[in-house]
Amino acid sequence: MEQNENFRRVVVKIGTSTLTYPSGKLNIRRIETLVRVLSDMRNAGREVVLVSSGAVSAGTSRLGLEITDRTTEEKQALAAVGQCEIMRLYERLFANYGHTVGQILVTKDVVDDENRLKLAKSTFATLIGFGCIPIVNENDSVSYEGIKFGGNDTLSAYVAMICDADLLINLSDIDGLYDSDPRKNKNARLIETVAEINDEIMACAGGVGTNRGTGGMITKLKAAKIATAAGIPMMILNGRDPRILYNVFDGEHAGTYFAVKEKVEA
Ligand code: GLU
């Protein structure tokens, strides 16, 4: 991994299956640890942006409904409820450590439209300049297929681009990218560094993830492709214990690191 001092502005993405229990209820212990670590990173001088999923899941449990396949309309309504629940918790927990959060909900058309992109960029820059921690999610309640990112893995890569991040970290429910599915093959090997996301690497990604998030390894690799092409390295780490972020910034190796391809001078 490169010198960790270079990673001043860091986007951390955390997925639904890491933030919530299988019942859909928020995993408060994990969220508390995440907030403590991110607050400490901020205190240490890093700029932090959090991309948090979990709105649909939290909304489902808040309304006492079963976690099951829901229609798009239902998910949009559940996200409206769950987003409040999540932000209320983040706001309170970050405030305990003296930090202020700002919520930004985005849809894909923000990155497709030059003017809206410019506005989004300046909002992120201003919020970060105020010393706040932006917390981002897709604006699920008003997104339809045409303007959807299609999951927060993709969204996080665009957020990293919008706020000109130095590093994107994807906190997942798996240790990183394996050369085959570790749930099926006990000899599967963790790939520590990926220099180029080629067909061979894409072939390592199995199917989709849990029934509570929308991602799997494929969407994470696609996100890594978008980020690294924009000059931003990405890591996949196991978010089971968010203190793993300390290891990364202490220079220890963890998870899978997707390097930015060096440009060969002509
Ligand atoms: N935006 C969705 C939510 O907050 C999650 C999307 C994803 O899991 O990638 O529930």
Side-chain angles (χ1 to χ4, degrees):
M1 202 171 102
E2 286 173 45
Q3 279 298 305
N4 54 55
E5 289 79 21
N6 294 344
F7 302 130
R8 180 171 159 76
R9 187 169 290 181
V10 186
V11 173
V12 176
K13 183 259 170 185
I14 186 152
T16 299
S17 55
T18 312
L19 282 172
T20 61
Y21 290 106
S23 64
K25 288 196 192 309
L26 293 172
N27 185 329
I28 293 171
R29 182 164 71 169
R30 195 167 283 156
I31 296 174
E32 277 181 348
T33 310
L34 174 73
V35 170
R36 185 153 49 84
V37 174
L38 295 181
S39 297
D40 206 29
M41 279 168 60
R42 188 77 196 81
N43 287 354
R46 291 186 205 278
E47 294 166 338
V48 177
V49 175
L50 176 62
V51 175
S52 174
S53 304
V56 174
S57 204
T60 309
S61 88
R62 177 69 199 231
L63 294 180
L65 302 172
E66 287 282 308
I67 295 280
T68 167
D69 270 349
R70 297 272 164 197
T71 63
T72 303
E73 290 78 7
E74 285 175 332
K75 281 188 200 159
Q76 290 184 302
L78 292 168
V81 174
Q83 186 63 25
C84 298
E85 178 89 347
I86 287 178
M87 284 309 296
R88 193 166 53 89
L89 190 58
Y90 279 133
E91 202 281 324
R92 252 194 17 225
L93 293 175
F94 274 109
N96 286 344
Y97 297 102
H99 292 291
T100 304
V101 301
Q103 172 186 264
I104 303 190
L105 299 177
V106 282
T107 44
K108 176 83 166 50
D109 49 344
V110 169
V111 293
D112 293 338
D113 179 294
E114 212 181 307
N115 282 328
R116 297 194 65 188
L117 181 60
K118 234 165 104 184
L119 284 172
K121 280 185 177 182
S122 61
T123 306
F124 271 102
T126 310
L127 203 50
I128 294 168
F130 282 153
C132 299
I133 298 178
I135 301 185
V136 191
N137 197 354
E138 178 148 15
N139 197 349
D140 295 308
S141 302
V142 298
S143 312
Y144 61 93
E145 288 317 314
I147 58 163
K148 267 187 106 56
F149 282 100
N152 281 4
D153 289 327
T154 314
L155 168 71
S156 66
Y158 284 105
V159 168
M161 284 167 67
I162 294 173
C163 58
D164 204 12
D166 301 311
L167 177 67
L168 169 62
I169 295 180
N170 192 311
L171 288 180
S172 173
D173 54 6
I174 190 162
D175 290 346
L177 176 67
Y178 283 84
D179 59 359
S180 64
D181 190 341
R183 289 167 298 195
K184 294 184 190 139
N185 176 7
K186 65 175 177 33
N187 295 321
R189 198 180 54 85
L190 182 76
I191 303 172
E192 291 195 349
T193 305
V194 173
E196 188 187 357
I197 305 162
N198 50 26
D199 292 349
E200 202 186 318
I201 290 293
M202 290 306 281
C204 296
V208 293
T210 65
N211 63 347
R212 287 173 296 124
T214 55
M217 199 43 82
I218 290 173
T219 61
K220 288 172 187 41
L221 292 187
K222 285 186 181 157
K225 254 188 171 168
I226 296 168
T228 53
I232 305 163
M234 182 179 123
M235 297 188 79
I236 298 176
L237 298 177
N238 199 324
R240 187 179 43 223
D241 183 350
R243 288 175 300 177
I244 194 168
L245 291 167
Y246 286 136
N247 301 6
V248 168
F249 293 107
D250 286 346
E252 289 166 34
H253 194 93
T256 301
Y257 180 74
F258 297 86
V260 171
K261 231 165 104 184
E262 295 289 331
K263 281 201 183 72
V264 182
E265 297 293 332

